[in-house]
Amino acid sequence: MNQLFSLEEMYLLANSFSRSSIFGLPAKSVLLVRDSSNMEFAYQALKNKGILNEQGEVTHAGAYAIRALEEYTRSEKYVQIQQVIFAFPKDTSELVFIVKIGKEEGYQLHRMSKVLVPQLLIKKLDLINREAMEDEELFLLKRQRIEQRQKLDNSLTQENLIDLRIFGVSNTLEHWIIFDVDEMLFTINTQTKEYYRASQYWLMKILFDTLEIPYKKEGVDRLAAR
């Protein structure tokens, strides 16, 4: 859905299935310190967007949005890439994800087949489109020496960077920062504080693996075994 929902609207949707928390969004308690009229505006906004009819009943479009949000909140795993948080509904080949829009609290809620997600990533992440260097066919990751880390830290900017976080329900499982320097790809595991030179094959592998997108693994498995 391309509708933009406020935080209040998101929690009104969640209230329809008695959910008081939404992973990745500010806690519902934040709403308690805001002007109470915001909830009234949010309720009217859901009517204006066709989520509710004039009688306050859930429409077909509203049922679709509520179902997607409910599946999102019941996920046992989340993957965040930049401002997008993916959830993994059970017994489906689709992903549900929330996109935070702009500096203000605006959110979009989407459902997408896993086979279409790579197209989304290609549009959003420039590093996916980089051309692999010739030697990247020989490895997935190469650990960098301590003296190389300072140079990489000095080269790290917010431009052309992928911030990849993998969460369980209550904790961070992995956090990778992926970036390029002088046409070479690097990554930092922020939990182990290890720095690596990475291949394009590793980048695609970690994105596809974490998002559970099917692909042919024979060639990548060969590199991993080296």
Side-chain angles (χ1 to χ4, degrees):
M1 301 182 68
N2 292 322
Q3 300 273 21
L4 190 64
F5 297 106
S6 67
L7 185 63
E8 286 85 355
E9 290 170 61
M10 293 292 282
Y11 275 111
L12 282 177
L13 294 176
N15 188 59
S16 64
F17 51 90
S18 303
R19 191 76 177 191
S20 60
S21 63
I22 303 173
F23 184 89
L25 272 61
K28 190 175 182 178
S29 57
V30 170
L31 304 181
L32 299 177
V33 298
R34 297 184 176 182
D35 191 328
S36 60
S37 64
N38 286 359
M39 295 302 290
E40 297 176 12
F41 289 135
Y43 181 72
Q44 184 59 47
L46 291 179
K47 288 184 176 181
N48 295 340
K49 293 170 182 173
I51 303 300
L52 302 175
N53 62 24
E54 285 304 314
Q55 291 72 42
E57 300 167 333
V58 176
T59 63
H60 178 75
Y64 179 88
I66 289 169
R67 178 59 178 166
L69 183 58
E70 183 175 12
E71 290 183 314
Y72 176 92
T73 62
R74 296 188 185 282
S75 180
E76 296 179 355
K77 167 188 167 183
Y78 296 92
V79 173
Q80 180 172 359
I81 303 175
Q82 318 302 63
Q83 298 299 312
V84 183
I85 304 178
F86 295 89
F88 299 79
K90 294 182 179 180
D91 303 319
T92 178
S93 60
E94 296 178 321
L95 297 178
V96 176
F97 56 98
I98 288 176
V99 184
K100 183 177 180 181
I101 304 296
K103 296 181 179 179
E104 301 298 324
E105 287 174 347
Y107 305 95
Q108 288 181 339
L109 181 63
H110 297 273
R111 175 193 295 276
M112 182 178 290
S113 170
K114 290 179 182 178
V115 298
L116 297 178
V117 171
Q119 298 178 24
L120 173 68
L121 298 178
I122 288 171
K123 292 179 181 179
K124 298 293 185 182
L125 305 174
D126 290 340
L127 284 180
I128 289 183
N129 299 303
R130 69 179 285 274
E131 185 175 348
M133 301 181 75
E134 186 173 345
D135 68 334
E136 292 180 27
E137 296 182 0
L138 304 176
F139 68 95
L140 289 179
L141 290 175
K142 285 185 177 180
R143 184 177 284 106
Q144 300 297 287
R145 296 176 180 176
I146 294 177
E147 58 267 24
Q148 295 171 306
R149 297 181 180 183
Q150 185 64 49
K151 178 182 177 180
L152 292 176
D153 284 337
N154 293 337
S155 302
L156 189 59
T157 67
Q158 293 299 316
E159 296 181 7
N160 212 23
L161 174 152
I162 298 176
D163 189 344
L164 172 64
R165 302 171 191 247
I166 306 165
F167 300 92
V169 174
S170 59
N171 63 317
T172 303
L173 302 178
E174 295 182 50
H175 180 199
W176 297 89
I177 296 174
I178 306 161
F179 57 101
D180 63 340
V181 177
D182 297 330
E183 298 185 356
M184 290 188 290
L185 190 66
F186 294 92
T187 185
I188 302 171
N189 184 325
T190 67
Q191 293 176 297
T192 64
K193 309 302 181 184
E194 293 286 354
Y195 290 58
Y196 300 89
R197 183 179 169 206
S199 70
Q200 194 71 8
Y201 304 97
W202 173 84
L203 173 59
M204 302 308 295
K205 172 179 167 56
I206 194 170
L207 290 174
F208 277 54
D209 284 349
T210 56
L211 294 173
E212 301 178 7
I213 299 170
Y215 65 97
K216 293 183 179 180
K217 299 184 179 182
E218 291 82 359
V220 175
D221 288 343
R222 173 179 52 81
L223 290 176
R226 294 191 174 187

